[in-house]
Amino acid sequence: MRVSTKSDYALRALIELAAEPEDRAITADELGKRQDIPHGFLQSILGDLRKAGILLSQRGQSGGWRMARPPYAVTIADVIRAVDGPLVSVYGVRPESVAYNGRAEVLKPVWIAARDALREVLETVTIAQLAEGELPSSVLARTQDDEAWRPH
């Protein structure tokens, strides 16, 4: 899986927002400084998260950004979909919509299975858990094997 810079920045910004009191908005400048995210890029990401109903923008002297939904109700998968689209795509098409000929048809269930495996982790971890530094035991269990840490 390739995690885009956009998804990484979005998650980092949301972790910062989730750690703040519910009624406190944080400016894009402050978020960018805390996580070393370029301002223009961050503004675009925050706009995508607003369109997806994950963030609210607040104007005025105490303006900025805050969570539109409780952090426990937003998963990593929600964030990736908001800023990058589907978790798995094959040349820009969702795996269930890909058409293959002949022997290559066997690839379709591979892409479906890969998406299912990603969902098992990414739809389980919430922004609240990330902000608290507490991952679900099912996710932590996947990191116990040394093989999980080795690049292939």
Side-chain angles (χ1 to χ4, degrees):
M1 173 182 183
R2 182 179 86 56
V3 177
S4 73
T5 302
K6 198 172 184 182
S7 286
D8 182 65
Y9 285 172
L11 289 163
R12 289 163 50 190
L14 288 171
I15 289 167
E16 290 292 340
L17 286 165
E20 291 295 320
E22 195 174 301
D23 58 343
R24 183 171 184 268
I26 302 176
T27 66
D29 281 341
E30 178 65 22
L31 285 171
K33 286 176 189 170
R34 288 185 189 181
Q35 288 295 323
D36 197 26
I37 302 172
H39 182 75
F41 199 18
L42 180 58
Q43 287 286 23
S44 171
I45 292 166
L46 296 173
D48 288 343
L49 294 170
R50 183 180 47 77
K51 287 176 198 160
I54 294 172
L55 288 183
L56 292 172
S57 60
Q58 184 176 315
R59 295 182 185 264
Q61 187 173 356
S62 59
W65 296 88
R66 58 189 176 87
M67 300 290 297
R69 295 188 280 174
Y72 65 79
V74 180
T75 67
I76 291 176
D78 295 331
V79 176
I80 292 171
R81 289 181 185 116
V83 300
D84 282 330
L87 295 179
V88 173
S89 66
V90 181
Y91 51 80
V93 177
R94 292 179 184 270
E96 66 275 9
S97 300
V98 174
Y100 289 105
N101 296 322
R103 290 188 173 111
E105 187 66 32
V106 72
L107 287 171
K108 190 174 197 170
V110 171
W111 306 142
I112 298 292
R115 178 177 63 186
D116 184 61
L118 283 171
R119 284 176 173 169
E120 200 171 308
V121 173
L122 301 179
E123 290 181 347
T124 303
V125 181
T126 69
I127 299 304
Q129 290 167 323
L130 294 173
E132 294 161 6
E134 297 290 329
L135 297 176
S137 58
S138 62
V139 172
L140 288 174
R142 291 176 169 270
T143 67
Q144 297 307 306
D145 185 356
D146 288 341
E147 194 61 29
W149 295 90
R150 289 195 184 100
H152 290 270

